[in-house]
Amino acid sequence: MRVIDKKSIAVLPFVNLSNDINNVYFCDGLTEEIINALASIKVLLVTSRTSSFYFKNKKVTSKEIREKLKVATFIEGSVRTSKNKMRITVQMIDALDDFHFWSETFDRNPENIFEIQDEISLFIAEKLREHIGHLEIEDKLVEAIDVPVAIYREYLKGRYYMMRLDYKNSIKGVNILKEVIHKSPNFSNPYLDINLAYVNMGTMGLLPALEAYEKAQPYLLKALELDPNSSRSQLNLAWIECWQNWNLKKAYEHANKALEMQQTDDIYLTISNFLTVEGKLDAASNYLDKALQLDPYAAINHHYKGFLYYLKEDYKTAIPYLKKALDLDPKLPFPPIYIGICLLMSGKPNEALTYFGSLEGVSVKDLTKLGGETMCYAMLNETEKCNEGLKELETYSNTDLVDKAFTFLILVNALLDNNEKVIDLITQAYNNRLPVILLLNPSPILKPVKNHKRFKDIMLKAIPDNLNYKQKKKYKQALLDSNEIKKYSKELEQIMIDYKLYLNPDLSLKDLASYLELPANYVSQLLNLGFQKNFSEYVNTYRISEFKERVLLEENKGLTLMAVAYDSGFNSKTVFNTFFKKIEGITPNTYLKSNS
């Protein structure tokens, strides 16, 4: 069971206590703004919107929040409005010990909407710091937007409908947001939200993908023109660089910039996507775990966890995650593809055929049923039915479903051992710049062609840093050069901050290496040259810092020094005392007395 980080928090949706439906939009908007504001505070783990809003209009106990969201603290509140007055009540609850340790009522003018958001976010951050320990908090967490309050309220209304994610409400939200743009053309948020609405509709099969992405593109470009430096803009740029421009180096740059601004699950998921493209599946899993920690009720996070297990050929473990994704969002189009393929690759072609045959709705429209059944016929040696399926799939190769059609054509031919045909199809997909190319690299079904020269050439052109084909060249007998040491040192420090690996008393050099996707001997060299420390010195330095922070907390005053040391990652009294004196020059007891 994962230990709950004391610097973790969830903001539950604020409750509307007014009769006015328009106040619902404000309540949701206020909740989102507080989540975004708190997410900008370094080292604070903030549950993402999807998981917070999972509990909207549900009565839940402190224990349920602690167990389901794995947070130490949560916020709940309510909003009541009248003509000239708004009353916002906010409470902060310690989920670990189940008590309300702070509540406040804000009576404010509804017109001061941006000041209210910033004031409440800062107040929460300050009270949180008093309760859990030091946090670096900026003077402002929510920047005022240069639009009239009435238009901002309309924006919140549009976003409210857009985030309901079905076709009817998405279109309604888009139309409201277009009207907001007409009134305030320099307001960047509605452009980003319209872009997101179309991308979501294309991804979920509510619109043809090509049509949806074409509609989304101009809104994204305008948003980037107006505000290129927000975390959302940087994240969108990362997606463009990867999936449209096939430039992973720039994609990582934008994604890491976004991560520096905010630690959100969609940024961690995005980086996991990029690592998957390169074939770095262990590192992708690590980043995906972080996304799941921040948003355990996001269907796409569970789907991707299952997808990574599929790529690792652990089909039995993959299926429950894929089914959990469908439980959370039955309209998500991706999980059915891989549930069926996992059954197929587990040696259960008849069970897979039954599963694909039972699919309805979105899955029919996006070729999952047709493609899945054709794959099953290939495995069952039902040649006539397989050829019929291939012919029908080929009819979609010049339509909006071209990417999905090529995916299944490639996979079916791979199962039939038509390796030359597979390479021909991959060449066509590459020449047409189909995004499917980027997900062929780690596919277990394509293992028979991965050593084919033409396949290697295409993969290296599409993904220059391809792990499968460049790793041996990359790690020569020569030592890491100075640029690599600088790059990996920065990555390692960020990983230690994000994941707090040092709290694991059994942490090994090999464990550390898996997060960097480097051989253990290279990480050993990196520690020596980049930090002038061996593995034990490096990790125990973090543990000493953790101990120094924990031992001074009011909540730990009843614990012995060694109890705090064990909580900080040490598993030996001798090692703890030796390292503490070596680093601090005094004993732990002397340190405590001098700082009490």
Side-chain angles (χ1 to χ4, degrees), residues 14-137:
F14 278 49
V15 178
N16 175 31
L17 297 181
S18 306
N19 293 325
D20 186 0
I21 183 65
N22 290 308
N23 200 46
V24 174
Y25 315 138
F26 176 75
C27 289
D28 285 3
L30 176 63
T31 306
E32 280 195 69
E33 204 58 64
I34 292 172
I35 290 172
N36 291 333
L38 295 178
S40 67
I41 299 174
K42 301 294 183 186
V43 310
L44 190 60
L45 301 175
V46 185
T47 299
S48 294
R49 181 194 189 280
T50 308
S51 289
S52 289
F53 276 72
Y54 179 82
F55 296 96
K56 185 174 180 178
N57 300 325
K58 296 178 183 177
K59 289 187 177 181
V60 287
T61 64
S62 178
K63 181 183 178 183
E64 287 176 303
I65 294 298
R66 179 181 72 244
E67 291 178 350
K68 293 181 177 181
L69 295 183
K70 300 292 188 291
V71 291
T73 311
F74 67 95
I75 301 293
E76 59 184 17
S78 62
V79 182
R80 187 189 299 275
T81 57
S82 59
K83 252 186 179 180
N84 301 311
K85 186 178 178 182
M86 175 181 289
R87 169 163 288 189
I88 302 172
T89 302
V90 185
Q91 298 182 89
M92 188 177 289
I93 297 98
D94 186 313
L96 299 178
D97 295 322
D98 192 17
F99 72 94
H100 291 62
F101 63 87
W102 167 75
S103 65
E104 186 74 17
T105 299
F106 301 84
D107 289 321
R108 298 292 184 269
N109 186 329
E111 291 301 304
N112 300 330
I113 192 166
F114 304 117
E115 291 87 346
I116 293 169
Q117 291 172 344
D118 187 49
E119 180 185 6
I120 293 176
S121 298
L122 281 169
F123 214 98
I124 290 171
E126 289 290 355
K127 290 299 178 184
L128 193 61
R129 179 161 60 182
E130 290 173 11
H131 184 65
I132 66 172
H134 179 65
L135 297 169
E136 289 290 336
I137 302 173

Side-chain angles (χ1 to χ4, degrees), residues 190-208:
Y191 292 99
L192 282 170
D193 284 317
I194 292 175
N195 168 73
L196 178 61
Y198 280 125
V199 168
N200 283 341
M201 285 189 279
T203 301
M204 293 187 294
L206 302 176
L207 280 176

Side-chain angles (χ1 to χ4, degrees), residues 57 61 147 168 181 221 239 253 270 276 312 326 344 347 404 449 463 485 570:
N57 300 325
T61 64
V147 296
K168 183 179 177 181
I181 287 172
L221 294 177
W239 275 98
E253 288 175 5
T270 296
T276 303
K312 294 178 180 180
L326 283 180
L344 186 67
K404 188 62 66 67
V449 300
I463 314 164
I485 289 171
F570 285 98

Side-chain angles (χ1 to χ4, degrees), residues 208-227:
L210 191 60
E211 176 190 337
Y213 299 151
E214 285 179 351
K215 286 183 174 180
Q217 184 79 349
Y219 291 98
L220 174 59
L221 294 177
K222 183 63 179 179
L224 295 172
E225 178 188 321
L226 292 170
D227 185 10

Side-chain angles (χ1 to χ4, degrees), residues 260 308 368 542:
E260 287 174 10
L308 287 172
T368 297
Y542 280 96

Side-chain angles (χ1 to χ4, degrees), residues 504-545:
N504 175 10
D506 299 318
L507 184 71
S508 67
L509 181 64
K510 187 177 179 181
D511 294 331
L512 208 60
S514 75
Y515 278 77
L516 282 171
E517 288 282 352
L518 286 171
N521 60 321
Y522 277 76
V523 177
S524 177
Q525 178 200 342
L526 174 67
L527 295 175
N528 288 330
L529 297 180
F531 300 93
Q532 290 76 53
K533 292 181 173 73
N534 61 33
F535 171 75
S536 294
E537 290 169 335
Y538 179 75
V539 175
N540 285 327
T541 299
Y542 280 96
R543 290 170 176 158
I544 293 297
S545 296

Side-chain angles (χ1 to χ4, degrees), residues 420-431:
E420 289 301 323
K421 178 66 174 176
V422 169
I423 302 299
D424 289 341
L425 287 165
I426 290 172
T427 303
Q428 288 180 57
Y430 175 82
N431 291 336

Side-chain angles (χ1 to χ4, degrees), residues 433-476:
R433 302 285 292 185
L434 298 182
V436 64
I437 285 292
L438 300 186
L439 288 177
L440 296 179
N441 173 40
S443 172
I445 296 176
L446 295 184
K447 285 169 75 173
V449 300
K450 286 188 178 179
N451 289 320
H452 196 295
K453 184 179 185 303
R454 288 169 64 201
F455 182 83
K456 287 183 178 181
D457 289 344
I458 291 171
M459 288 297 106
L460 284 172
K461 281 192 285 186
I463 314 164
D465 293 325
N466 192 304
L467 180 70
N468 289 342
Y469 308 123
K470 292 199 75 174
Q471 186 171 22
K472 290 180 181 177
K473 295 179 182 178
K474 186 175 180 181
Y475 302 129
K476 299 175 183 176

